[in-house]
Amino acid sequence: MFASIYGNKSMKIAIIGAGASGCFCAIQLKRSIPDAEVTLLEAGRKPMAKLAITGGGRCNFTNTFNGINSLSEAYPRGERLMKRLMKSFDQHSICEWFESEGIAHTVQSDECIFPASQDAMEIVNSFEGLMRRLGVKLLCSSRVTSIRKDSDGFELQLEGGSTVFCDRLIVSAGGLSKASSVKMFDELELEMVPVVPSLFTFNVDDKDFRSLMGTVVKDVIAAIPGTSFRAEGPLLITHWGMSGPAALKLSSYAARFLAEKEYRSPVSINWLNINTEEALEWLRSTAASSAMRLVISVYPPALNSHLWKYLVNKALKRTDARWNGLSRKDLNRLAEILTNDPYTMNGKSRFREEFVSCGGIALSNVNLNTLECKKHPGLYFTGEVLDIDAITGGFNLQAAWTTAYTVAQAIASE
């Protein structure tokens, strides 16, 4: 295929970053272009370290997308590009790909898709075995410090002084959260979008609230007052504040806003995912049917007794009230707490080790059909290094597979 371009010389392809996207791209390239020399350069000591811990070590490698009405719900940044690229390689495609490699999958009730083995290492080991058999060269502890483009291709300077030359270069280096990662692009003069964290949990100072750690409410609405940022799902109270899908999705949607606010922001919780009038209706009905009972002894089924006692005390400033002693103002205060309970976020915490960042290589730099750099032909980008990121639930890994497939197809069809 490439004889007319390279004569008897094999195409040399270098991939910076041996994460999920980089390794998947390398496999696809070697299968499409067996004679190509494909080299993976990984700054860390081993490949796919982040993939190995995704989903608590079980690896939610994609999502069914059921319930996602618009890709913007899953991809706060990059949804239009993902809509375009997923026409060629979507969640069904990656499931079929893994099945063809002997990796069965299972779908959870939250629509996350995992290996049936519930073991991320099944995917890691499969990729490593495939790369060995296909002849992909893997160089770990090989950090690229600079990239230079000339008429013959690309020159990569590595930490320590060694140099790698290639005809095609794919950057799949993950989120560019470190200054050293961004610095390697200096000579290319690309448009960059500032990188900030996404998918993080919220620190809350309220000690009484944090004493409820371990409490899970299955269907809340978490929101930032005065903005359009809101997210639905389970909320987990932790010893530092708030976690769970509702908090994590809100952190993704509001990543840039919260960074600008230096992670100091009001957050409101609708504990029952209903409106204030519906909450008042439940409260009035309960007051009529449980008149002589203590308010703290009868609570909404979605809450537990400890959280309800905390909310009653927050609204009424006491816990000894009986239902028949509540005034109209008391009922209104309880309804407000149930549907618009205010907290103050005073910092963030990393979500285990499954950190994600937003920002990176601006999408204006690339051909949206091939992900090839407009300014430097032969340079491609995949995965989180691009300004694409998603909420929790397997969507970020789907972006890794989809963009890697796109780049491999583009190079193979040259």
Side-chain angles (χ1 to χ4, degrees):
M1 182 186 299
F2 297 95
S4 62
I5 305 175
Y6 295 97
N8 294 322
K9 180 171 75 74
S10 297
M11 176 187 274
K12 292 185 178 180
I13 304 172
I15 302 176
I16 300 175
S21 191
C23 292
F24 186 64
C25 192
I27 292 167
Q28 291 296 104
L29 282 166
K30 283 296 288 184
R31 284 179 165 172
S32 300
I33 320 169
D35 293 335
E37 296 180 19
V38 178
T39 302
L40 270 168
L41 301 165
E42 169 57 39
R45 291 180 295 175
K46 56 185 179 180
M48 297 172 282
K50 188 173 173 182
L51 181 66
I53 59 174
T54 297
R58 297 184 298 131
C59 191
N60 48 321
F61 65 83
T62 190
N63 194 282
T64 66
F65 285 74
N66 292 338
I68 299 295
N69 299 311
S70 167
L71 280 188
S72 62
E73 296 174 18
Y75 296 96
R77 289 150 290 272
E79 75 278 4
R80 291 183 181 178
L81 178 60
M82 287 302 297
K83 184 176 181 179
R84 178 191 297 252
L85 300 184
M86 285 178 68
K87 292 177 182 177
S88 298
F89 198 85
D90 62 8
Q91 71 273 25
H92 306 295
S93 306
I94 191 61
C95 288
E96 291 169 3
W97 193 94
F98 279 128
E99 289 282 355
S100 71
E101 297 300 329
I103 300 175
H105 65 270
T106 183
V107 180
Q108 290 193 163
S109 59
D110 61 1
E111 307 301 336
C112 292
I113 300 180
F114 290 81
S117 64
Q118 300 284 300
D119 185 2
M121 291 308 296
E122 182 181 15
I123 293 176
V124 172
N125 293 335
S126 177
F127 276 18
E128 288 184 332
L130 283 169
M131 290 192 294
R132 281 195 300 270
R133 291 194 293 274
L134 291 168
V136 175
K137 187 176 183 181
L138 174 62
L139 300 177
C140 292
S141 301
S142 299
R143 183 181 298 279
V144 177
T145 58
S146 69
I147 302 169
R148 180 174 300 165
K149 175 76 164 69
D150 59 30
S151 57
D152 296 324
F154 298 88
E155 177 185 318
L156 312 180
Q157 194 70 35
L158 304 187
E159 197 171 66
S162 59
T163 304
V164 172
F165 298 91
C166 59
D167 305 303
R168 297 288 182 273
L169 174 62
I170 302 163
V171 179
S172 182
L176 302 177
S177 57
K178 296 181 180 178
S180 58
S181 300
V182 178
K183 187 174 176 57
M184 69 176 167
F185 298 111
D186 282 356
E187 294 188 42
L188 300 178
E189 298 181 341
L190 300 173
E191 182 186 352
M192 307 289 289
V193 179
V195 175
V196 299
S198 182
L199 290 190
F200 47 83
T201 61
F202 301 165
N203 294 350
V204 176
D205 268 346
D206 187 331
K207 291 181 180 179
D208 291 332
F209 178 75
R210 297 200 316 262
S211 72
L212 300 169
M213 61 183 180
T215 298
V216 177
V217 183
K218 292 185 178 179
D219 187 21
V220 311
I221 300 175
I224 298 177
T227 75
S228 61
F229 300 121
R230 66 195 297 277
E232 298 183 35
L235 185 78
L236 168 66
I237 301 174
T238 69
H239 66 275
W240 64 87
M242 299 177 184
S243 185
L248 292 167
K249 285 196 283 186
L250 184 61
S251 78
S252 181
Y253 294 145
R256 294 206 174 282
F257 174 87
L258 291 172
E260 291 170 1
K261 298 296 183 181
E262 298 182 336
Y263 306 101
R264 302 291 188 274
S265 172
V267 176
S268 70
I269 304 298
N270 181 330
W271 291 104
L272 303 181
N273 199 344
I274 59 177
N275 62 40
T276 304
E277 188 53 44
E278 289 172 321
L280 275 171
E281 185 179 340
W282 182 86
L283 291 166
R284 292 181 189 123
S285 173
T286 304
S289 62
S290 306
M292 299 301 296
R293 298 183 65 179
L294 289 171
V295 173
I296 60 171
S297 69
V298 184
Y299 46 89
L303 310 181
N304 65 29
S305 60
H306 300 293
L307 176 56
W308 176 241
K309 183 178 180 180
Y310 164 82
L311 294 175
V312 169
N313 188 57
K314 190 173 183 180
L316 306 181
K317 308 303 181 187
R318 61 197 182 102
T319 58
D320 59 351
R322 297 186 183 275
W323 283 102
N324 65 353
L326 296 181
S327 67
R328 179 181 299 178
K329 285 186 177 180
D330 290 334
L331 291 172
N332 287 335
R333 290 190 190 102
L334 282 170
E336 183 68 13
I337 283 290
L338 284 170
T339 59
N340 188 27
D341 185 16
Y343 296 88
T344 299
M345 174 188 179
N346 67 336
K348 62 177 176 61
S349 297
R350 180 179 289 178
F351 177 49
R352 298 177 187 161
E353 296 300 320
E354 301 172 44
F355 50 93
V356 172
S357 60
C358 71
I361 302 296
L363 299 183
S364 58
N365 291 293
V366 300
N367 179 317
L368 299 182
N369 293 313
T370 64
L371 303 183
E372 183 177 21
C373 184
K374 296 173 183 176
K375 189 181 243 183
H376 304 291
L379 171 63
Y380 297 81
F381 301 96
T382 76
E384 197 186 337
V385 71
L386 289 162
D387 186 25
I388 303 172
D389 67 284
I391 62 174
T392 185
F395 300 105
N396 282 294
L397 273 174
Q398 182 59 54
W401 314 130
T402 297
T403 54
Y405 177 87
T406 298
V407 167
Q409 289 295 104
I411 294 175
S413 62
E414 288 182 4

